Amino acid sequence: MAAVTGSVLSRVREGMLNLDVEFHYEAEFDYEVVNRAFFERNMGGAVPAEMLNQTVTSLFRIAFARAYPDGLSPDEMEHPDERLLMQNLKPLVDENWTRFCGVALASFTLRSFRADPAALARIRQIRSLPKTPQQMAQGMLAQMQAAQAAALAAQPVCCSYCNAMVAANGDGRCPACGAPLKTS
């Protein structure tokens, strides 16, 4: 088994979310000899590890773009489909390796696949926003009501019953005596 690390750029899309994100990955791969005579004659029975790593790293970007041409959903960014990635990576790698080395890609496993932390925080923020115009309107109405209540609470009012200057509370009554307050 050989290990590689690298990064790919992809879009993350869902509803209002449409963001370019850099993902860092760690993967393991293995190869198998498919043309023993060619392998022995041209490679001397050993493939340069650096060449294999570079090939997998560079072709993984192409395979990833083919597997996810429209970008990833937030669920896919957590767990990309390794089977789909292998289906796209294997023909690309095998075309090079078989022709030059006599070997083929036997396995490819993602050990980790992480979004850039700043992008991940932005995705979480966007996903927490309301998704429909109705939800957005409800959210704005709730914010306006909260601001209005806070403004009323901060405004001193004179109680017409006990003449105390008090802050209006949510029920519209004087906190000192319980009489109804006039706010205007």
Side-chain angles (χ1 to χ4, degrees):
M1 277 276 166
V4 292
T5 59
S7 64
V8 293
L9 285 174
S10 183
R11 282 203 166 278
V12 176
R13 297 177 184 220
E14 178 186 70
M16 293 175 51
L17 177 62
N18 186 2
L19 188 66
D20 285 327
V21 177
E22 181 177 19
F23 293 92
H24 300 276
Y25 68 89
E26 296 174 14
E28 291 182 351
F29 69 90
D30 206 357
Y31 67 90
E32 62 186 343
V33 177
V34 293
N35 185 338
R36 175 68 60 193
F38 186 83
F39 178 68
E40 294 293 334
R41 183 177 67 245
N42 290 337
M43 303 308 301
V47 180
E50 189 58 35
M51 182 192 79
L52 295 179
N53 292 351
Q54 287 176 354
T55 303
V56 169
T57 302
S58 63
L59 294 177
F60 180 72
R61 289 184 185 110
I62 296 168
F64 189 87
R66 288 181 181 174
Y68 296 101
D70 298 324
L72 299 163
S73 71
D75 291 334
E76 290 169 328
M77 75 176 230
E78 298 282 331
H79 305 286
D81 185 345
E82 285 189 43
R83 185 187 53 77
L84 180 61
L85 291 170
M86 179 66 166
Q87 283 177 338
N88 284 282
L89 182 62
K90 184 166 176 47
L92 295 169
V93 171
D94 288 355
E95 179 182 337
N96 286 299
W97 286 2
T98 303
R99 184 174 2 146
F100 299 112
C101 306
V103 299
L105 184 64
S107 67
F108 180 85
T109 305
L110 281 175
R111 290 294 170 216
S112 72
F113 190 80
R114 296 178 312 275
D116 173 62
L120 193 54
R122 180 77 176 128
I123 289 167
R124 287 185 183 128
Q125 179 186 21
I126 292 171
R127 285 187 83 193
S128 70
L129 294 174
K131 309 235 183 311
T132 66
Q134 183 180 8
Q135 289 172 323
M136 290 173 70
Q138 288 172 344
M140 288 171 46
L141 181 61
Q143 287 177 344
M144 287 181 359
Q145 288 172 340
Q148 188 177 31
L152 285 176
Q155 188 177 28
V157 178
C158 181
C159 175
S160 58
Y161 184 77
C162 70
N163 275 343
M165 288 298 287
V166 295
N169 57 17
D171 65 3
R173 299 197 170 276
C174 175
C177 69
L181 293 173
K182 290 185 181 179
T183 57
S184 51

